[in-house]
Amino acid sequence: MPEEDAVSLKRITRRWRALFRRDELERELNAELRFHIEHETAQNLRSGMDQEEARYAALRSFGGIEQSKEECRDARGVRLIEESWQDVRYCVRMLLKNPAFTAVVVLTLALGIGANTAIFSVLNSVLLRPLPYQDSDRLVFLWSDTPKQNTREMGSAYANISDWNNQNQSFEELAFFDPTSVTLTGINDPEQVQSVHASANLFSLLGVAPLIGRTFSPEEEQNQVHVVVLSYGLWQRRFGGSRSVIAQTLEVDNVKSQVIGVMPERFQFPGKNSQIWEPHTLVPDWQRQKTQRGTGSWRVVGRLKPNFTVQQAQTEMSSIASRLEQAFPNFNKGLGINLVPFQIQVTGTNVRLVLWMIFGAVVLVLLIACTNVANLMLARGIVREREIAIRMALGAGRLRLIRQLLTESAVLSLLAGLFGLLLATAGIKGLISFGPKDIPRLDGAEVDLRVIAFALGVSLLTGLLFGLVPALKVSQSDPGGTLKESRSSMGGLSGRRTRGLLVIAEFSLALPLLLGAGLLLRSFMHLQAVDAGFDPARVLLIQTAPARNSTTDQWRVFYQQVSERIAALPGVEAAGLIEEILISGNPDGLITIEGGSPDSSPSARIPFRRDVISEGLFQTLRVPLRTGRFFNVHDNQGAVPVTIINETMARQFWPGEGALGKRLKLGPAQSPNPWLTVVGVVGDMRRQNLERQPIAQIFLPHLQSPERRMNLLIRTTAESTQLAPVVRDEIRAIDKTVLISQVSTLESLLARTSAQRRFQTWLLTLFSTIALLLAAVGIYGLIHQSVILRTHEIGIRLALGAKRRDVLRLVVTQGMSLAACGIGMGLLAAFGLTRVLAGLLFGVTATDPATFMAAPLLLAMVAFLACYIPARRAAKVDPMVALRYE
Amino acid sequence: MKKQKADLLQGTLELLVLRLLRAGRFNGWDIMQRLQLVSGEVLSVTPGALYPALHRLEERGLISAVWGPSDNNRRAKFYELTAAGRKQLEAERKEWERFSGAVALILRDA
């Protein structure tokens, strides 16, 4: 109704004026009442009174003017807001008067809120923000897996994938892709980029349309047409973002390819460094791949039909896998299908666990900070007791007082929130630059609206948390008692008990943090002590690849020359070649061991890695030879095919007998691959990362099975990177056309594999140190104040003959009993909490006795120190001074 | 907001004010004069109680106020009934009649 609208509109304007035009309203009110009184006076004059009498009578007949005014103000309906504003102004004045108190509270809280906000922004970016694909919750990765060998995520073979595609009912469709490294040629400085060979439906399955142009069609795929889709980054970098790019060609591995489209910037699939997408049929060995079963190099992603769960799909795919296992026992033996939801695949379960753990840790830190501040507020409550008592005596209601005290905590916490947000901004920058590079979307962490809302919410909640207990406590005090007595009732039993409980809480919160950090530190130390099986110090690593159109004979000659000439350089101790020094993913395959007769040669699918190496590799890496010999120049094309295996492999297939002279074959028994004779067994190398047990490793001489792309490892006598340009020139001198990339040191490469562990250990240690300090400050504050409050009592004790030692013991015991209580409760909680960490530990159990001894001891020692300082002060009390002290 | 004291009196006072304003636009002093006139000695209303009542009614949107010249040409605040006030007055009048009728009925038998 328009009439009612008008009324409510009027009311709003009135409220507005009441709040912001207060002076104007006051003037009006005064004018109105003055008008009344003047009228009344005038009437009184008319009835014959004199001026003064008339005015006095008018005032008297009015009734209490000020009271009436106050009631008129009440009528404005903005009392609550007005009073709150008063409270805010009052409390800002109070806080400014106590800058030390304010600074301590704000800093403590800002630290907690800042840490929470920073970690939340990471959580938000990595885990919470939806992926930039349509209905990404329906996207699922499908992996080949061999449950018996506990390898869960392996690539799949094409023939299997097409059967999955044809037989399943759960998925709308399946797409597959294989990221490989290619070289962009035809330019002055050939560039190595990641190319994703993908099925044509990948783009529509993910629901992302190209920014310009189009993606490839099934026909182009069928006919192996050389077309390429560019990433936004490459388009900007190589073509300056020009729209005419569609008509141009790009040379990939020396083959001209037509550019047909550019993907939008957000499309980074499967990863940030994916630069081009090509039809999957363009992989070099497509003809062979078409019929391949077992495991392969393809990764599969599917879109679930609406209303199908991952669980349902998993059940169906498992039954398809067992059908395929029966149909193709030679290749698919023991092979299952493992479904992983997209979001989990992108982040990785480990990263999820780490992030939630760290978030849990900062929440604990914040809670401890809150407890500390609550303690401070209580301590200040004692000081303010008289003020509050006076207010109560003057008629302030209990609720009104609580509201005033809560306003104070709200102001403090919002101030802290503001500082916290600033800290968080810096913290996020630090996390991104120091954090491990392999946490996906970590660099997307930023202060967005959701993060700001989080910071605001946490601040207010914090304010309530640390403000409520003191507010209730303080407003309980009895004004009569307080005003009469000079002794503080807050300093009395009940106040001390509350503060004691807070200190207990603090210690019980700090202990799980310390334990967690302790366990991670122990894991880290264990990791440092792990023998990698090779010596990475001063080893330079350079990836090289002769031109794509060169022949295998040229590779042999090139690499033989490289290893000889680099090894002869001054400053070089040794040099060797290997395909890949670190193993990524979960490589596996079939291996056949020669038995008594061709029919009785058993094949087994095992996790293993095969690498082509040069003679000098093991000497360069200082890998010990257990038995047999290393490769030499005589292990060439004309000679018997030979292999060197690692100890794990030898143990696995020939336990208790010598592996030397035994023969094995890569692939099934009927495969045309040659039998390889074992000529040597070398020590195990941990090449996946230091935390994983070494898998079987098979090495082949490069003269017998040459590879184009190899890693050159050079052990130098001095700082290794200085030699890099010299080595580069030397290689160029051998062959100008060779591609050189990825110059780094082996140590930095290894450090990258443990970057995440370093990161989580460092963060948890940082947070638990903060917790430890906060707990120490908390108990120190309590004991310190209690000593001051009990000066009188201590004085009496001393005067009555107590020894200073007794006083010392009295005070320390008081503090330590609280600490012990907290530590005990913390231990109980920790037994449950550290179990969550189990997946992140290495070499220690979640209930590692040493850590569970050390952490409580450390906490107790800090508590002792925090109690001892005020206790010594108490023991030094001069009884005469103390008794006079009031 | 402060607790309202003497609810009956206050409610009655507000009802009276509404009733008075049905006759037209008045300033506070006028209303006071008329109140004394109609209620005589029965209800003793002070200006100190009247003005808060006026402000409350205004806040509730039952009356509205404008500043204008008074009879002796001074600026004064004039109040008048709003449509909502008119409705409220009618409703309260009925309620009052019902209530007083019931009380009268009971007391007649006493």
Side-chain angles (χ1 to χ4, degrees), chain A residues 1 3-4 7 10-11 14-15 28-29 31-33 35-36 38-40 43 46 61-64 67-68 70-72 74-77 79, chain B residues 1-2 5 27-29 32-33 46-49 51-52 54-56 58-61 64 67 70-72 74-77 79 83-84 87:
Chain A
M1 255 192 264
E3 194 183 292
E4 277 182 11
V7 169
K10 262 190 176 168
R11 183 169 301 167
R14 260 203 309 275
R15 289 266 156 88
E28 279 184 15
L29 180 60
E32 188 179 13
L33 299 189
F35 173 84
H36 184 100
E38 280 169 12
H39 242 283
E40 187 80 25
Q43 201 186 36
R46 276 198 295 279
S61 76
F62 194 95
Q67 222 175 334
S68 175
E70 196 61 20
E71 273 185 59
C72 288
D74 270 352
R76 287 173 204 162
R79 247 290 119 105
Chain B
M1 263 172 274
K2 272 186 189 159
K5 39 190 165 183
N27 63 40
W29 197 76
M32 194 63 223
Q33 300 308 308
T46 62
Y51 281 97
L54 285 171
H55 283 240
R56 273 192 298 272
E58 188 189 356
E59 170 64 23
R60 282 166 66 197
S64 63
W67 286 85
S70 72
D71 38 7
N72 61 359
R74 299 267 320 273
R75 256 172 63 79
K77 198 177 178 188
Y79 295 92
K87 248 185 266 171

Side-chain angles (χ1 to χ4, degrees), chain B residues 8-75:
Chain B
L8 175 69
L9 180 64
Q10 190 179 38
T12 318
L13 175 58
E14 286 176 9
L15 186 60
L16 280 175
V17 170
L18 288 180
R19 173 66 186 82
L20 280 173
L21 284 176
R22 208 170 70 172
R25 228 166 82 162
F26 301 109
N27 63 40
W29 197 76
D30 288 338
I31 297 172
M32 194 63 223
Q33 300 308 308
R34 272 153 216 271
L35 267 179
Q36 276 167 352
L37 221 64
V38 293
S39 68
E41 297 296 313
V42 182
L43 293 169
S44 82
V45 179
T46 62
L50 171 66
Y51 281 97
L54 285 171
H55 283 240
R56 273 192 298 272
L57 287 169
E58 188 189 356
E59 170 64 23
R60 282 166 66 197
L62 298 178
I63 62 176
S64 63
V66 280
W67 286 85
S70 72
D71 38 7
N72 61 359
N73 243 346
R74 299 267 320 273
R75 256 172 63 79

Side-chain angles (χ1 to χ4, degrees), chain A residues 810-833:
Chain A
L810 179 80
V811 175
V812 169
T813 311
Q814 181 204 352
M816 287 312 283
S817 59
L818 294 179
C821 236
I823 290 173
M825 278 164 57
L827 267 178
L828 286 182
F831 272 108
L833 282 174

